[in-house]
Amino acid sequence: MSDDEGKLEGPDLALGVSLSDFKNGMLLGHVDKEAVLLVRTGSDTFAIDAFCSHYHGPLADGLVVDASVRCPWHHACFDLRTGEAMRAPALSSLSVWQVEQAADRVVVRRKRDHTGPARTPPADAPRRIVIIGGGAAGFAAAEMLRRDGYGGEITMLSNDEAPPVDRPNLSKDYLAGKAPEDWVPLRPDDFYSELNIGLRLRTRVAAIDGKARHVVLGDGKTVPFDRLLLATGAEPVKLKIPGADQPHVHMLRTLADCRAIIAGAATAKRAVVIGASFIGLEVAAALRERDIEVHVIAPERRPMERILGPDMGDFVRALHEEHGVVFHLQDGVTEIDGRQVSLKGGSTLEADLVVVGIGVKPRLDLAEQAGLKVDRGVIVTANLETSLPGIFAAGDIARWPDRYSGDSIRVEHWVVAERQGQTAARNMLGLNEPFDAVPFFWSQHYDVPINYVGHAETWDEIAVEGDIKAKDCVLRYKRAGRVLAVASIYRDIDSLKADLEMEQNPIR
C-alpha cells in the first residue's frame, strides 16, 4: 500500500478548479477527505478514486488512454466513466464522482452510486460452466462471469487447500513479513457463496470426457459441463537429489508452502536458496528482510541473464550482494544431508532452511488425457479455445498466437493468467473476443521494482536508455530491429507507453 494514500494532496475539488490547473490532463485533489483524481480527456472531465484497487498505485502517475486510466505500477486499467476495473491485476472497481463544468471551471460534486456495468449475457449462454484450477486464471474467469451477469452454474475445482490467493505476495511482502495474511486471499471466503460460485477445494480431477461433457473426479464422481475452462497452472520442478525430501527443504507455490517457509524462518539463522530465478531471488530478498543469512546457488553465470540480459543480470546480483546475499554461481547442489548442503564444486554450506526455486512446468496431464492438442503447452486459438470445441484453456498452460510478436507463446505471468481468465470467461459466453493483451510482469527486489512488457525468448540487441546502476533505466530487447520486450526500473510511464505501443502495433 502506498505511504501517500492517507495524505490529502492538491485542491479541494468541491470548491472548484480551473482547467488551467490540469497538468498532462490530470489533477490530484480531494473531496470530503477522500483522494480524487480529475482527468481531462478530449472535451470530457472525469473524477475517479486516486489510487488503484490492486496495490494502491498512484493513478496520477499513470497514463490516460481514451476514457481509461492505467496504473503506473502493475498496468491495471480503469474505465473513467464507470470506475470498472477493465484489466487485471485490479479486480475491484473504483468510485467515480459527479463532475460539473461551467466555462473553464470544474467542480466535483457527490460520489455516484456504483451500479456496475449493465451487461447481459447472450440468450444462448451455457447453463453449466466448470473451471478446473483455483489460481489466477480460474478465479479471474469466475469473477468475470458473474460481473458479466452470467446466472448459470459455476463450479471451480481446485486441488489446493486454500481459496484463490494473491500468489505474487507469497514471494514478496507476505513472505518478508511486511503484509498481513488477510491481504493474501483474492476475495473473502463468503465471496464464493454470495456469488453462487461452487468452489470445491482439495478436489482432484482425474479426467475430462469431452464427448460426455463431464469431468471425472478422483473419487469417481462426475461433474457435467456445457463449457469448460482448463486452468491447471504450473507446478514447481522438483529437486532430484538425496535429501531433497527433508522437512526443512521447501518449494514455494501455495499459501501452505509460504506458511511453512515462514515457520522455518522463525528460528533459522542461515538459508540456502537453490535457483536464481525471479522466485528464487524474491525469496532471497524476503528472507534478508527477516535478517536471515542467505546463500543463493545456481548454475548460470549471472542471475536472470536469460530473461533480462547480462547488464541487468549484473545489476541484480550487485543489488542482492549489497543486501548481504552470498552467490554461488556456476554451481549446483548434489546432496542435502541434514543441515549440510553439498555443492558440485566441492564445498559445503550449513543451512537451517532450504528453498528450491529451479523453475516450474505446466500441468498438462489432463489436457493430454482429454486428447487436446498439446505442444509445450495447450494449443489455443486467439479466443483461447482448445482443439475441442467448448473447452478453453488459460494461464500457465496456454500457448496462444501472440498478436504483437507474431509467435505462438506460452508465459508464466500472473497478470497474463488473470487477463486470459477474463477473456476466456467472456468467450465461454459466446462473445468471441480475441486475447490481445501484451504480456506484463513485475518483480520486486528490496525497494527496486522491475517491470517487463512484451515477450522476448531471444534477441540480437538490447538498447539501454538511462543508467541501470542508478536504478533509472529502460531496456529494449530487439530482434531484427523490432522491439519485442521492454524492461524498466523506476520508469513507469515509459513502461506504460511501451505496453500501449505494442498493443497498437501488432504483427497479426
Side-chain angles (χ1 to χ4, degrees):
M1 181 177 293
S2 169
D3 292 335
D4 296 329
E5 187 185 1
K7 302 176 183 177
L8 294 178
E9 299 181 22
D12 185 342
L13 303 177
L15 299 178
V17 293
S18 171
L19 292 179
S20 61
D21 294 330
F22 283 73
K23 180 181 179 181
N24 298 325
M26 291 190 281
L27 177 63
L28 178 62
H30 55 89
V31 178
D32 294 333
K33 297 183 180 181
E34 293 188 65
V36 175
L37 180 67
L38 266 181
V39 179
R40 179 81 174 168
T41 174
S43 60
D44 296 319
T45 305
F46 303 97
I48 193 168
D49 281 346
F51 293 92
C52 178
S53 60
H54 175 232
Y55 282 3
H56 302 275
L59 296 180
D61 295 335
L63 184 67
V64 175
V65 180
D66 299 325
S68 69
V69 60
R70 302 187 180 193
C71 178
W73 287 2
H74 307 133
H75 295 208
C77 180
F78 299 91
D79 189 318
L80 290 168
R81 296 185 179 91
T82 66
E84 182 185 4
M86 300 168 64
R87 293 186 179 184
L91 298 169
S92 299
S93 63
L94 299 179
S95 297
V96 295
W97 276 258
Q98 180 182 351
V99 176
E100 295 180 1
Q101 182 175 335
D104 68 343
R105 195 77 178 165
V106 176
V107 179
V108 179
R109 300 298 187 187
R110 62 178 179 82
K111 185 184 297 187
R112 292 179 179 173
D113 294 332
H114 179 71
T115 57
R119 295 197 287 259
T120 303
D124 59 349
R127 286 196 309 114
R128 299 167 300 192
I129 292 179
V130 170
I131 299 169
I132 302 177
F139 173 83
E143 191 273 341
M144 182 57 75
L145 285 167
R146 289 298 187 233
R147 202 194 309 181
D148 273 350
Y150 176 65
E153 293 181 15
I154 301 176
T155 302
M156 288 184 68
L157 305 173
S158 172
N159 63 0
D160 205 340
E161 298 178 358
V165 299
D166 180 20
R167 186 172 291 131
N169 226 328
L170 299 184
S171 60
K172 298 180 176 72
D173 286 352
Y174 177 61
L175 181 58
K178 298 191 294 184
E181 188 166 307
D182 59 9
W183 285 16
V184 174
L186 287 173
R187 286 290 188 271
D189 290 349
D190 57 7
F191 167 85
Y192 303 94
S193 58
E194 289 179 358
L195 270 69
N196 196 23
I197 296 171
L199 175 61
R200 302 188 191 181
L201 300 175
R202 296 175 290 277
T203 300
R204 185 178 72 87
V205 175
I208 299 169
D209 191 326
K211 292 183 178 179
R213 311 300 275 184
H214 66 230
V215 300
V216 182
L217 304 183
D219 59 7
K221 296 180 180 178
T222 61
V223 181
F225 65 84
D226 299 309
R227 297 288 186 276
L228 175 72
L229 175 62
L230 192 61
T232 46
E235 61 186 356
V237 175
K238 294 182 180 179
L239 188 65
K240 297 180 180 180
I241 61 170
D245 58 349
Q246 294 180 91
H248 70 296
V249 180
H250 304 274
M251 293 184 290
L252 177 57
R253 186 69 178 178
T254 67
L255 177 58
D257 294 336
C258 193
R259 286 170 173 164
I261 295 171
I262 291 172
T267 56
K269 293 183 178 179
R270 175 187 284 181
V272 164
V273 175
I274 303 174
S277 63
F278 288 100
I279 291 296
L281 291 184
E282 287 179 357
V283 168
L287 295 178
R288 287 298 299 136
E289 295 279 2
R290 292 179 176 270
D291 202 26
I292 297 171
E293 182 183 340
V294 176
H295 291 250
V296 174
I297 305 167
E300 53 262 47
R301 289 189 307 163
R302 298 180 179 90
M304 298 192 287
E305 180 178 7
R306 184 179 65 85
I307 303 297
L308 298 177
D311 292 342
M312 189 73 92
D314 286 339
F315 165 77
V316 169
R317 174 177 180 169
L319 174 65
H320 281 269
E321 288 177 335
E322 287 173 10
H323 286 80
V325 173
V326 179
F327 282 92
H328 305 263
L329 298 175
Q330 296 181 283
D331 210 338
V333 178
T334 59
E335 182 181 9
I336 304 173
D337 183 6
R339 294 297 193 264
Q340 191 170 74
V341 178
S342 299
L343 277 62
K344 289 181 180 179
S347 60
T348 59
L349 292 170
E350 293 292 325
D352 308 304
L353 178 67
V354 178
V355 181
V356 180
I358 55 176
V360 298
K361 59 182 180 180
R363 293 188 175 108
L364 300 177
D365 291 350
L366 281 176
E368 293 172 337
Q369 169 275 322
L372 304 182
K373 187 176 180 181
V374 172
D375 178 12
R376 296 165 296 147
V378 179
I379 301 300
V380 296
T381 66
N383 294 358
L384 303 180
E385 192 166 18
T386 70
S387 55
L388 288 181
I391 298 180
F392 295 75
D396 293 354
I397 64 170
R399 181 172 291 277
W400 81 97
D402 178 44
R403 293 176 68 246
Y404 179 73
S405 67
D407 297 332
S408 176
I409 67 174
R410 183 186 69 83
V411 300
E412 295 155 357
H413 303 338
W414 178 258
V415 175
V416 171
E418 287 185 308
R419 292 178 179 178
Q420 286 188 342
Q422 293 174 328
T423 298
R426 297 176 64 78
N427 289 333
M428 286 190 289
L429 298 182
L431 297 179
N432 197 32
E433 296 181 357
F435 178 72
D436 57 6
V438 176
F440 168 81
F441 75 83
W442 82 94
S443 186
Q444 187 77 27
H445 303 260
Y446 312 99
D447 61 339
V448 179
I450 300 174
N451 284 359
Y452 185 97
V453 174
H455 183 74
E457 293 187 10
T458 62
W459 60 82
D460 53 37
E461 178 188 356
I462 302 176
V464 179
E465 175 186 318
D467 188 335
I468 297 175
K469 292 182 180 179
K471 307 172 188 175
D472 176 24
C473 60
V474 175
L475 286 74
R476 293 180 172 85
Y477 301 82
K478 300 181 180 181
R479 189 170 66 214
R482 180 176 173 84
V483 176
L484 297 180
V486 175
S488 62
I489 299 175
Y490 289 122
R491 291 284 192 94
D492 294 335
I493 282 294
D494 290 316
S495 181
L496 284 169
K497 288 180 177 178
D499 193 343
L500 180 62
E501 183 176 353
M502 292 181 193
E503 180 185 308
Q504 294 177 339
N505 294 282
I507 285 181
R508 291 183 185 270

